[in-house]
Amino acid sequence: MTSSEAAAPQASRWNAKSDVIVIGGGHNGLVCAALLARSGRKVLVLEAAVEAGGGARTEEFAPGFRVSSVAHILNRLHPDVVKELSLEAHGLKLEPATHISSVSLSTDDDPLVLTGAYGEGLLGASDKEAAAWKDLRAQLFRYAGILKPFLSRRPPDLGGRMSMAETFALGQTALALKKLGKEDMRDFLRVILMNVADLLDEQLTDNRLKGLLAFDAVLGSHLGPRSPTSLLGLYYRLAGEIGGRAGAQTVPAGGMGAVTAAIVASAEKAGVVLRTDAAVRRIVVENGRAAGVVLESGEEISGSLVVSAADPSTTFLELVGPRELNTGFVRKVGNIRKNGDAAKLHLALDRPPQFAGIDTTGLRGRLVIAPSTDHVERAFNPSKYGEFSPEPVMEITLPSLADPSLAPSGACVLSAVVQYAPYRLREGWDAGKPKFLKAIMNILERYAPGIGKTVRHAELLTPRDIERRYRMPGGHWHHGELQADQMLMSRPVFGAEGYATPIDGLYLCGAGSHPGGGVSGAPGLNAARRIIALER
Amino acid sequence: MGKTAKKTSSPYAGRIAARSHFRTLRLDTPFQPRIDALMKQNDWYSWAGYRAPASLWDEELEYFAIRSTAALFDISPMVKYLIQGPDSEAYLDRVTLRDVTRLRPGRVQYTAWCDDEGHVLDDGTLFRLTEDAFRLCCQERHLPWLLDSAIGYDVSIVEETEEIAGLALQGPTSFAVLREADFDGVEHLKVFDLAGFEHQGGTVTISRTGFTGDLGYELFVPANLALSLWDRLMEAGQARGIRAIGYTALNRARLEAGLIVANADFSTAEHALRPDRVRMPDEIGLGFMVDAKKGHFNGRRAIMAARDGKKLRHVLVGIEIEGNIPAEHAIVYHGKKKEVGLVSAAGWSPLAKRNIAIASLVRPYGHTVNDDLWVEIYAMRELKYERLMKRARIVPRPFIKLDRRTANPPADF
Ligand SMILES: Cc1cc2nc3c(=O)[nH]c(=O)nc-3n(C[C@H](O)[C@H](O)[C@H](O)COP(=O)(O)OP(=O)(O)OC[C@H]3O[C@@H](n4cnc5c(N)ncnc54)[C@H](O)[C@@H]3O)c2cc1C
């Protein structure tokens, strides 16, 4: 290829040699691509689907009804991503007016409402409980704040290959720990690997509140609230922020696809070429170095660097293939736990449902059915043995209330993340799916009587469906379990933990890398920074 | 476990079943009845869990059988894998250090393999039986590693340590013994050649290989043909001084040949507990195996990085020590003061008439700094240690070179 081709118009640039090929146009791939393009590189993003976004898309699931098809709540989009990609200038709205509260539903009691950023206010609890929550909330944020700096940079390098700046940042974490004071410090270390249920029992009494916190701690993972280390999930959640407010959450107008649209606009402005319907079959490795990709169509595209936003298992075992890798590494990648437990339900409703004790602003919040810690734990139990929860827990949004464009006039969209739906269902999902849908609808009927009769169309995505449709292996939220043994320098596995991989010129940038999943852009951001530092 | 506990089926059940050797504390080899009959010393040792003879009747005379006539040594405890399938060449090329695409059917390669960090897991011999079938022989068990390495390859790997019996027939009259035993065509075997021969309706695979630096052969047969093969050789060898031998004699011969033994001269990566005990090929004299021109192989990146970054810390060398007192496990010094290494094997070489040893040194000693080296020998003399500081000189390995090892045709007697 000659350099004159670089000046050719966009369409024909696809075949020219790119500086960087990004595999996967999910939000992380796009964030990484945008930052690399802004550093002066020529970047091509190859997305298998007909549309970019991966788990962050808005799609029509019934005539006239559109919904965030996988992720539906935005609670951790990294502030550096928002800033460096100027996402607000590209149409993303994150200001406090768009933030929503969390509502814990119960059949025994009135709903409990956490207002502001993750329960700055608590409505429906006793004064004593409200005071206890205030203390616990402050403590949770203090501790989550210590972990926060770890999330926005590559994991600590034990081999002593850190730059001054990185060492300084790590030092700051140590300093933050020190500033905690002796007692807080001791307590931080005491609780860090605890299960969330025990911690909640130490400090709270209200089942609705404990149920909601327990639910948030285990959302997206194969853990119950009584599983060791489950508290880490809650810290991970609370380390997120929106609009500068830690713990805040929003349902973006236009659905999660609007977030992707803003990222795409920013990326394209930076010069990124996005090509959809372009599934990568293979990463070409020459002399231990990534040299390009081959598409499913057979087309070959060369590039100096290849960055994969696809999950680590697919990237290494299928796209690179074991032959270019060491046996021990293949072993480790093969052992990544990545079977999802979260299903997604989309209902097209004739009209907004009626939840007892909830007014119209409440309905715009995040409605959580997890009435107690025990309830969440019982929901988890069957999943250990390959069965779905007969009494699942879930988080519900009604996005068309705030954004009527998502549904025909007067009608309503319901979007729910439902646990537990083990990827490997023993009876198989063909047989299990109708039964699981029935179980979910039974619960919804209990909380919103009459809802069943208003359903025009129901779409249930099991982890298997999510895997097939969105190329997320195991249908997993994080592209691989986010538990202590698969975090930090062990994410996705040692040997690929710093975004660089055993193949020169091949990097990872998706949810399977540190810090993990959720619509945060953090892996994409960290990867881009790392690539810019290493590949001059 | 309760009475109702069921046998659990683990995904590794097959692998566990394939490695049941450890359930018997001391295994017998298929040749045991013959060896037991010849055992006069009751001097046994454990070779990978097998009851193996250290010496049968006289270790001195057993050694001279290797060098003067023909010695028969049971190598059945060697771990053996049969690797078959259309991808077996590519598979072994990725697992081992040398270029397997250049190993023709009917040839044998002395090779080694490493983990991800480039640390040697074992060394061994790779026999290319046919285009698509190989036998890998080595000191340690590696089935899980070999199976996990097979992900992405169309290849089958079978552990055949118990099923296949092996004999080493070594010494100047070894060819004559085979000819006398009617293995027609064995005269065509050059060093590192192999071929199949008829035996009792089955096949014995004979290769011109060995661990002595002498003219010699190794023979592999299915276990059920082991005893008849032994008898066939012993009978044919009667007039040519054939003798069964134990490991002590063989160990002296291999030292003279300058050959190393895994977990004696270096710690294999899966045995080493201490982080500084593992070794890269370049640190144990196996750097010549590393084929930088071929494609990816396990440990490649680490090995190349260590070479480029001059991060190789050790070196394995042959040394010659003044005097005649064996320096087994002696400490090596520079300038009589600074500790720079350890002798892993040592002894008087009757053939070279020199006091020889294999030692591991910390670079630059033995690599670029070769003068002023000493070994400290503690010689027990009637309940008192005599401490001897003896000068050591780095010398090339092998310590002996016998033309008969490679002569074509092999010498007849
Ligand atoms: C049921 C469920 C609910 C969730 N809800 C939320 C939520 O409410 N809030 C939240 O923040 N997070 C949520 N998540 C998590 C979130 O969806 C993911 O963590 C996030 O989408 C990961 O982003 P990513 O860019 O790393 O990967 P993805 O979004 O998975 O994007 C990867 C992209 O790569 C493409 N790709 C893969 N292989 C290839 C190939 N070979 N060639 C070309 N392209 C390829 C895929 O098509 C995809 O577009 C949820 C997850 C699940 C499963």
Side-chain angles (χ1 to χ4, degrees):
Chain A
M1 316 242 154
T2 62
S3 57
S4 64
E5 274 172 322
Q10 295 242 325
S12 64
R13 267 177 65 177
W14 291 347
N15 295 319
K17 188 178 165 100
S18 296
D19 295 334
V20 184
I21 296 170
V22 176
I23 302 171
H27 83 284
N28 276 314
L30 292 166
V31 165
C32 188
L35 293 171
L36 291 175
R38 290 172 58 131
S39 77
R41 292 165 168 86
K42 198 173 131 198
V43 185
L44 171 66
V45 177
L46 298 169
E47 168 55 49
V50 292
E51 184 185 39
R57 288 168 63 182
T58 306
E59 288 174 278
E60 186 170 70
F61 70 100
F65 290 84
R66 291 191 307 131
V67 72
S68 299
S69 35
V70 182
H72 64 166
I73 289 174
L74 192 66
N75 56 27
R76 57 181 322 108
L77 188 60
H78 199 280
D80 291 0
V81 172
V82 176
K83 201 171 87 205
E84 293 188 30
L85 270 65
S86 316
L87 293 184
E88 283 168 309
H90 286 100
L92 189 64
K93 290 195 177 50
L94 300 170
E95 65 272 11
T98 66
H99 296 182
I100 60 169
S101 48
S102 291
V103 182
S104 183
L105 304 174
S106 167
T107 48
D108 303 338
D109 217 330
D110 286 337
L112 180 87
V113 184
L114 282 78
T115 62
Y118 213 80
E120 282 166 307
L122 190 64
L123 307 178
S126 69
D127 289 350
K128 202 165 151 258
E129 188 70 357
W133 165 240
K134 194 164 175 248
D135 287 348
L136 176 60
R137 181 180 179 278
Q139 190 205 53
L140 288 171
F141 275 105
R142 241 179 7 257
Y143 294 175
I146 296 168
L147 298 173
K148 208 166 171 172
F150 281 109
L151 307 185
S152 57
R153 57 178 61 96
R154 76 179 170 120
D157 184 339
L158 302 181
R161 290 156 302 195
M162 288 199 296
S163 71
M164 279 294 284
E166 287 170 321
T167 312
F168 179 71
L170 206 63
Q172 285 204 307
T173 303
L175 205 68
L177 264 171
K178 242 183 159 167
K179 275 205 287 204
L180 273 182
K182 240 193 190 136
E183 219 161 285
D184 239 4
M185 160 89 147
R186 204 179 303 131
D187 206 47
F188 171 76
L189 295 174
R190 178 183 73 92
V191 302
I192 180 114
L193 294 179
M194 262 177 90
N195 75 57
V196 68
D198 284 346
L199 184 85
L200 299 177
D201 284 345
E202 279 180 7
Q203 312 202 29
L204 301 176
T205 51
D206 193 309
N207 277 335
R208 296 163 301 172
L209 182 53
K210 290 200 277 188
L212 178 121
L213 293 164
F215 175 83
D216 281 353
V218 299
L219 187 59
S221 76
H222 185 70
L223 292 175
R226 291 203 174 79
S227 308
T229 73
S230 60
L231 179 60
L232 278 174
L234 190 57
Y235 284 148
Y236 186 74
R237 163 71 184 82
L238 297 181
E241 62 181 81
I242 289 296
R245 297 168 82 208
Q249 59 190 359
T250 180
V251 173
M256 213 45 97
V259 178
T260 295
I263 299 173
V264 168
S266 173
E268 287 184 336
K269 183 146 180 256
V272 171
V273 177
L274 168 65
R275 195 171 151 191
T276 53
D277 206 1
V280 172
R281 187 204 304 154
R282 199 160 68 78
I283 294 171
V284 181
V285 178
E286 280 166 12
N287 301 322
R289 193 172 172 91
V293 299
V294 179
L295 302 187
E296 292 288 2
S297 65
E299 184 184 345
E300 293 177 27
I301 305 176
S302 55
S304 319
L305 293 181
V306 176
V307 182
S308 177
D311 71 285
S313 314
T314 306
T315 301
F316 291 120
L317 301 184
E318 284 167 34
L319 301 184
V320 171
R323 295 180 181 213
E324 292 294 337
L325 300 165
N326 288 328
T327 298
F329 186 79
V330 170
R331 224 181 222 176
K332 282 188 275 185
V333 173
N335 286 339
I336 295 173
R337 299 193 309 290
K338 52 172 195 296
N339 291 339
D341 279 293
K344 191 72 198 298
L345 175 71
H346 304 139
L347 296 181
L349 302 173
D350 289 330
R351 57 179 180 276
Q354 298 290 315
F355 285 87
I358 303 205
D359 58 13
T360 37
T361 35
L363 278 184
R364 292 182 181 204
R366 177 175 71 119
L367 311 175
V368 177
I369 299 180
S372 69
T373 312
D374 277 353
H375 194 103
V376 182
E377 187 71 23
R378 279 203 203 96
F380 170 59
N381 286 339
S383 74
K384 292 183 279 191
Y385 312 106
E387 290 156 23
F388 61 75
S389 322
E391 293 267 326
V393 288
M394 64 187 93
E395 107 187 333
I396 302 162
T397 58
L398 303 166
S400 60
L401 295 183
D403 178 1
S405 75
L406 295 175
S409 147
C412 180
V413 172
L414 179 147
S415 164
V417 177
V418 190
Q419 280 190 177
Y420 291 82
Y423 172 76
R424 274 189 210 292
L425 191 72
R426 240 193 353 211
E427 62 178 313
W429 275 113
D430 286 343
K433 191 160 146 172
K435 297 183 202 165
F436 189 50
L437 179 60
K438 199 151 167 248
I440 301 169
M441 290 311 299
N442 280 343
I443 295 191
L444 284 174
E445 196 64 37
R446 199 183 300 158
Y447 284 87
I451 190 173
K453 285 202 285 297
T454 66
V455 176
R456 270 191 225 170
H457 180 76
E459 175 186 65
L460 177 62
L461 302 179
T462 67
R464 202 163 275 277
D465 298 324
I466 293 170
E467 172 179 73
R468 285 202 196 117
R469 264 207 214 173
Y470 301 101
R471 293 182 178 243
M472 293 168 109
H476 201 285
W477 187 293
H478 298 280
H479 289 190
E481 274 288 307
L482 190 66
Q483 290 183 28
D485 64 311
Q486 296 191 165
M487 277 182 172
L488 289 166
M489 41 276 175
S490 304
R491 187 165 188 85
V493 294
F494 184 70
E497 76 286 7
Y499 309 99
T501 70
I503 306 290
D504 290 333
L506 174 66
Y507 290 83
L508 297 178
C509 78
S513 286
H514 173 78
V519 180
S520 68
L525 169 77
N526 293 354
R529 288 177 174 167
R530 190 75 187 131
I531 292 165
I532 290 166
L534 289 179
E535 307 276 350
R536 287 182 191 279
Chain B
M1 258 195 275
K3 267 181 269 172
T4 53
K6 270 190 296 180
K7 251 199 167 162
T8 50
S9 80
S10 115
Y12 298 107
R15 291 185 177 199
I16 293 166
R19 293 180 299 153
S20 57
H21 59 281
F22 68 93
R23 296 184 194 280
T24 310
L25 281 186
R26 273 294 168 272
L27 289 159
D28 281 350
T29 83
F31 298 111
Q32 215 75 46
R34 299 293 182 271
I35 295 172
D36 283 352
L38 296 170
M39 178 50 105
K40 307 285 184 235
Q41 297 270 17
N42 254 335
D43 186 4
W44 302 101
Y45 81 112
S46 169
W47 176 2
Y50 281 85
R51 183 164 64 103
S55 169
L56 289 158
W57 47 291
D58 183 308
E59 63 180 55
E60 206 62 32
L61 294 177
E62 287 168 38
Y63 164 81
F64 280 107
I66 302 174
R67 294 298 181 217
S68 311
T69 54
L72 197 57
F73 181 66
D74 180 4
I75 54 171
S76 305
M78 263 216 305
V79 175
K80 304 171 228 56
Y81 298 102
L82 183 64
I83 296 157
Q84 282 175 292
D87 283 346
S88 49
E89 178 186 278
Y91 163 80
L92 286 160
D93 211 37
R94 185 310 200 90
V95 170
T96 66
L97 297 176
R98 299 182 72 171
D99 187 348
V100 179
T101 65
R102 288 167 55 186
L103 179 65
R104 294 191 313 277
R107 293 284 293 167
V108 184
Q109 230 174 27
Y110 172 42
T111 189
W113 50 104
C114 294
D115 64 11
D116 292 21
E117 285 73 42
H119 298 135
V120 178
L121 286 164
D122 212 342
D123 63 346
T125 36
L126 181 61
F127 297 74
R128 187 161 198 168
L129 306 174
T130 66
E131 188 63 32
D132 289 342
F134 295 79
R135 175 175 292 139
L136 185 64
C137 294
C138 50
Q139 193 70 299
E140 302 295 338
R141 306 253 175 182
H142 298 283
L143 191 62
W145 180 260
L146 295 176
L147 290 175
D148 287 346
S149 300
I151 297 168
Y153 292 90
D154 185 0
V155 38
S156 80
I157 292 133
V158 181
E159 160 114 37
E160 50 171 18
T161 305
E162 262 98 303
E163 289 72 24
I164 300 292
L167 283 173
L169 177 67
Q170 305 277 307
T173 67
S174 56
F175 165 69
V177 173
L178 289 178
R179 190 187 39 71
E180 180 69 24
D182 292 328
F183 287 109
D184 291 337
V186 81
E187 65 276 11
H188 299 307
L189 294 182
K190 300 197 174 72
V191 170
F192 288 119
D193 277 352
L194 72 82
F197 296 86
E198 206 275 335
H199 176 68
Q200 301 266 314
T203 301
V204 48
T205 303
I206 304 183
S207 55
R208 190 163 161 189
T209 49
F211 211 54
T212 59
D214 218 307
L215 172 63
Y217 299 84
E218 288 171 322
L219 300 85
F220 293 95
V221 275
N224 63 329
L225 298 179
L227 292 179
S228 58
L229 177 67
W230 177 284
D231 295 343
R232 184 172 169 184
L233 295 173
M234 278 302 204
E235 206 169 301
Q238 245 174 9
R240 288 171 180 81
I242 195 169
R243 294 285 187 184
I245 65 159
Y247 184 68
T248 311
L250 184 85
N251 193 36
R252 287 172 80 176
R254 74 94 183 172
L255 172 62
E256 293 183 312
L259 299 167
I260 58 171
V261 176
N263 288 318
D265 297 292
F266 70 97
S267 293
T268 57
E270 284 188 336
H271 278 245
L273 298 176
R274 296 164 183 81
D276 63 338
R277 300 300 200 273
V278 289
R279 291 292 183 268
M280 289 197 158
D282 294 290
E283 295 178 306
I284 54 172
L286 302 184
F288 72 92
M289 291 176 177
V290 176
D291 195 320
K293 288 199 289 294
K294 73 171 183 174
H296 180 72
F297 58 90
N298 279 335
R300 176 186 185 114
R301 217 172 135 96
I303 291 167
M304 296 307 163
R307 283 183 175 184
D308 294 346
K310 312 234 176 328
K311 294 229 177 72
L312 296 162
R313 295 199 51 234
H314 299 91
V315 63
L316 185 138
V317 293
I319 56 177
E320 190 183 325
I321 300 160
E322 65 176 322
N324 61 5
I325 302 175
E328 188 94 66
H329 293 145
I331 292 176
V332 183
Y333 290 89
H334 182 253
K336 296 195 184 176
K337 285 232 164 54
K338 188 178 163 58
E339 197 178 316
V340 297
L342 185 86
V343 169
S344 56
W348 173 258
S349 163
L351 222 57
K353 308 264 183 296
R354 291 188 290 165
N355 196 20
I356 58 173
I358 290 172
S360 280
L361 306 187
V362 178
R363 295 180 189 218
Y365 304 100
H367 183 55
T368 51
V369 180
N370 291 337
D371 63 336
D372 208 10
L373 293 174
W374 301 80
V375 296
E376 184 182 38
I377 305 170
Y378 282 81
M380 181 66 95
R381 297 285 179 264
E382 296 176 334
L383 290 183
K384 188 168 180 291
Y385 271 125
E386 308 257 332
R387 180 171 165 271
L388 311 168
M389 197 50 107
K390 296 287 185 191
R391 191 174 276 283
R393 219 159 40 80
I394 307 257
V395 296
R397 288 178 299 143
F399 299 96
I400 56 149
K401 222 171 164 181
L402 299 170
D403 290 341
R404 64 180 180 244
R405 183 178 89 95
T406 51
N408 288 314
D412 203 347
F413 286 91

